[in-house]
Amino acid sequence: YEKTINYKFLTLLLLWCLDTQDTRGQMVGAHDTNKQSSCSPNAKASRCSYTFIVPQQKLTGTLCLNTHSSSPNRSEVAQLQAELKQQQEQLRKLQHQLEQEDSLVMEVRALRKESNSMNTRIAQLYAQLLQEVIHKKDQVLEQQRVENLLLNATTQALEVSSNYRELEKKYGALTSTISSQNQFISRLEKQCQCKDSSKPSLHHNYSSEVNKGPNDVQRDQSATSLQTKPEEAHPRAPTETPFVSFLATKSPGPWRDCQHVLDSGETTSGIYLIRPANTNRLLQAWCEQSHEQGGWTVIQRRQDGSVNFFRTWEQYKQGFGNLNGEYWLGLEHLYWLSKQSKYKLRVALEDWQGRQVFAEYDSFHLEPESDWYRLRLGQYQGNAGDSFSWHNNKAFTTLDRDKDSYTGNCAHYQKGGWWYHMCAHSNLNGVWYRGGHYRSRFQDGVYWAEFHGGSYSLKKVSMMIKPT
């Protein structure tokens, strides 16, 4: 009850003071001046200092209340409003950060899920890679085993080849002895015939080196020149055909090359004794006199696969094979031949259908062994296509002398010595495969890339040189 009276009292007092501010002192004149009051006419209208003694009961009459101290502070309100705005701004920022954090949480969850799937995939790939590594390791071991077997087989083949060459040397020596005996018998018969006809006998000093057999290719490099002069030779066919002998020629030679043989009047193709100019080096070569006006010195020939061309450097240097069949003249002999004059090269090719083509180069010579018998070729002409100019200015490479531009040994892969580059557009010293097209791990046939490509092994090939 007391609280109700005080509340009503304060309400009336507040209303009265507000009414007093509006009338700006008019209330003072309305009251009796004799009443006891602290409000005077000179007092300010905005203030009132009336004093009332109010009992704790229902009050009546006019109340006066000083509300100056309870009026709101505008600066504090503005400060509170600013703080409220700041807090609202911070609240918006927090809400924005919370939204971003929610999106980040979602992204992190997605990344974790993706990371788990990637880890699973990586584990699968690692297991697959491990299996492949194990498989590759097994393959490498198997390849090493096969390579070891191949090396062993190659070594055995080289040993067999060496033994075969020794047998060839012995056979050549026997052939030379038989040829010497045949020549001696021929001279005796000639002397007997001369005595019967009352003509003086002629004595000739033949060297046993003249009549080496066709299987013995340029063996003796220290043989001296023959002393027989052309005008002193009057050979006559013996009563019995010798086992191995030269053609019946007007002169036993030696000649500078096959063109010299042709110029001497010998027009029959066959084996002739050759001695290049400015050297005492004697060798035998097949002279092709019936092809393209004759005078061609055959330096290489393949026709039946009877000779293995997978040889060492020394064998390619000295020459090998059968002069009546497949053979290689020899790099050293070829160097001395090409040095004495300007020569041209002709490569004759024949496939298994009988088609014959050729490639001709207007100049050909080799550098000495100190430069690895480097090839020097001129301009090409012919109908076989140019598969040899790519090898121009390249050194010769064999199984035991790797001088090509390839990281490996081209002679090892192509099974023959050649002027390899990286590796070859032609290789006439490869493996002679029957039938043309062949299957091999490497391109190792007797091929001319511009004529049937590298996977076709030709039936017959020959390389010939002739002075220009």
Side-chain angles (χ1 to χ4, degrees):
Y1 177 74
E2 293 178 354
K3 292 180 179 178
T4 301
I5 295 175
N6 291 332
Y7 177 75
K8 291 181 178 181
F9 169 74
L10 292 176
T11 301
L12 294 174
L13 181 62
L14 179 60
L15 291 174
W16 181 82
C17 288
L18 290 175
D19 184 65
T20 305
Q21 290 179 359
D22 291 334
T23 55
R24 294 182 182 271
Q26 294 178 2
M27 187 182 295
V28 176
H31 294 279
D32 188 6
T33 57
N34 294 323
K35 292 181 180 180
Q36 292 182 356
S37 175
S38 61
C39 292
S40 63
N42 294 328
K44 292 182 179 181
S46 61
R47 293 182 180 181
C48 186
S49 58
Y50 290 97
T51 302
F52 297 92
I53 299 173
V54 180
Q56 291 184 357
Q57 58 184 2
K58 188 175 179 178
L59 299 178
T60 59
T62 303
L63 298 176
C64 182
L65 179 64
N66 187 5
T67 60
H68 178 72
S69 59
S70 61
S71 61
N73 192 339
R74 295 183 180 180
S75 61
E76 291 179 358
V77 171
Q79 185 177 359
L80 290 175
Q81 290 178 351
E83 289 180 359
L84 181 60
K85 289 181 180 180
Q86 184 176 1
Q87 290 178 358
Q88 291 177 351
E89 184 69 24
Q90 290 179 355
L91 182 60
R92 284 193 296 270
K93 289 182 178 179
L94 290 175
Q95 290 177 351
H96 182 67
Q97 290 179 357
L98 183 59
E99 292 176 356
Q100 291 182 346
E101 288 178 357
D102 290 339
S103 62
L104 289 175
V105 169
M106 296 298 293
E107 291 180 359
V108 168
R109 289 178 180 175
L111 289 175
R112 285 180 179 177
K113 185 176 180 180
E114 185 178 358
S115 176
N116 292 331
S117 62
M118 289 295 292
N119 290 334
T120 304
R121 180 59 179 166
I122 289 172
Q124 294 176 355
L125 292 176
Y126 180 77
Q128 184 179 357
L129 179 61
L130 185 60
Q131 292 178 356
E132 291 181 358
V133 168
I134 295 173
H135 182 64
K136 291 289 185 182
K137 187 175 181 181
D138 294 338
Q139 287 183 344
V140 169
L141 294 176
E142 181 66 19
Q143 183 179 0
Q144 290 178 353
R145 188 182 68 82
V146 173
E147 287 180 353
N148 291 332
L149 292 176
L150 179 61
L151 290 176
N152 293 333
T154 303
T155 304
Q156 293 176 1
L158 291 176
E159 291 178 357
V160 172
S161 177
S162 178
N163 294 333
Y164 176 74
R165 188 171 180 82
E166 293 297 328
L167 292 176
E168 276 188 339
K169 289 182 179 179
K170 294 178 181 180
Y171 178 76
L174 292 175
T175 303
S176 179
T177 303
I178 294 173
S179 299
S180 300
Q181 293 176 355
N182 289 330
Q183 290 290 335
F184 181 69
I185 293 172
S186 178
R187 290 200 301 271
L188 291 177
E189 289 180 351
K190 186 176 180 181
Q191 289 175 3
C192 293
Q193 290 176 359
C194 290
K195 287 180 180 180
D196 292 339
S197 60
S198 300
K199 292 183 179 180
S201 62
L202 296 177
H203 300 280
H204 304 284
N205 296 323
Y206 288 93
S207 170
S208 61
E209 297 296 327
V210 175
N211 295 295
K212 290 184 179 180
N215 290 326
D216 187 20
V217 184
Q218 59 271 1
R219 303 301 182 197
D220 188 2
Q221 306 304 328
S222 61
T224 56
S225 61
L226 301 178
Q227 301 298 327
T228 304
K229 296 181 180 179
E231 61 270 12
E232 294 177 351
H234 300 282
R236 182 174 177 271
T239 56
E240 295 181 1
T241 304
F243 182 71
V244 175
S245 178
F246 287 107
L247 299 170
T249 61
K250 298 177 182 179
S251 171
W255 291 271
R256 293 189 302 273
D257 53 25
C258 292
Q259 181 64 47
H260 188 200
V261 174
L262 183 64
D263 295 340
S264 300
E266 304 293 342
T267 59
T268 305
S269 299
I271 302 169
Y272 291 87
L273 187 65
I274 305 297
R275 185 182 68 187
N278 302 322
T279 179
N280 289 328
R281 184 177 298 273
L282 286 173
L283 60 123
Q284 297 176 43
W286 182 277
C287 292
E288 185 59 54
Q289 309 293 23
S290 61
H291 186 75
E292 294 294 327
Q293 301 177 357
W296 294 97
T297 303
V298 179
I299 64 174
Q300 187 262 17
R301 183 165 56 206
R302 307 294 298 277
Q303 60 186 20
D304 54 13
S306 59
V307 175
N308 180 18
F309 275 66
F310 195 26
R311 304 287 185 121
T312 62
W313 178 270
E314 189 63 27
Q315 290 172 317
Y316 268 100
K317 175 182 176 181
Q318 300 299 336
F320 55 87
N322 186 344
L323 285 170
N324 286 320
E326 295 190 341
Y327 80 96
W328 174 260
L329 183 65
L331 292 169
E332 188 67 18
H333 309 304
L334 191 52
Y335 162 69
W336 286 104
L337 274 174
S338 62
K339 185 179 179 181
Q340 63 183 350
S341 179
K342 183 179 179 180
Y343 284 83
K344 61 181 178 180
L345 171 69
R346 185 180 182 89
V347 181
L349 310 171
E350 181 179 344
D351 61 15
W352 288 87
Q353 288 74 38
R355 180 186 174 189
Q356 297 179 355
V357 294
F358 74 96
E360 193 170 297
Y361 299 86
D362 60 6
S363 66
F364 169 85
H365 74 276
L366 300 184
E367 300 296 338
E369 185 180 13
S370 59
D371 197 16
W372 313 109
Y373 299 113
R374 193 173 300 276
L375 176 65
R376 305 297 187 190
L377 280 180
Q379 296 297 320
Y380 159 82
Q381 64 176 359
N383 59 358
D386 185 9
S387 294
F388 206 23
S389 294
W390 197 64
H391 300 267
N392 191 23
N393 301 321
K394 300 301 178 291
F396 200 83
T397 292
T398 59
L399 180 65
D400 54 342
R401 298 284 180 90
D402 185 6
K403 301 301 174 184
D404 55 54
S405 302
Y406 185 60
T407 54
N409 189 333
C410 292
H412 170 73
Y413 298 113
Q414 307 225 340
K415 304 298 184 297
W418 197 248
W419 294 276
Y420 292 110
H421 183 14
M422 293 181 66
C423 279
H425 284 182
S426 62
N427 179 19
L428 304 184
N429 291 339
V431 180
W432 189 86
Y433 290 102
R434 185 179 300 275
H437 290 286
Y438 64 93
R439 288 185 178 181
S440 176
R441 183 179 178 184
F442 303 107
Q443 187 172 293
D444 54 5
V446 179
Y447 69 91
W448 191 269
E450 295 294 330
F451 183 54
H452 290 300
S455 61
Y456 187 96
S457 186
L458 299 171
K459 182 179 181 180
K460 292 182 180 180
V461 299
S462 62
M463 300 174 66
M464 304 172 286
I465 60 173
K466 178 181 179 179
T468 57

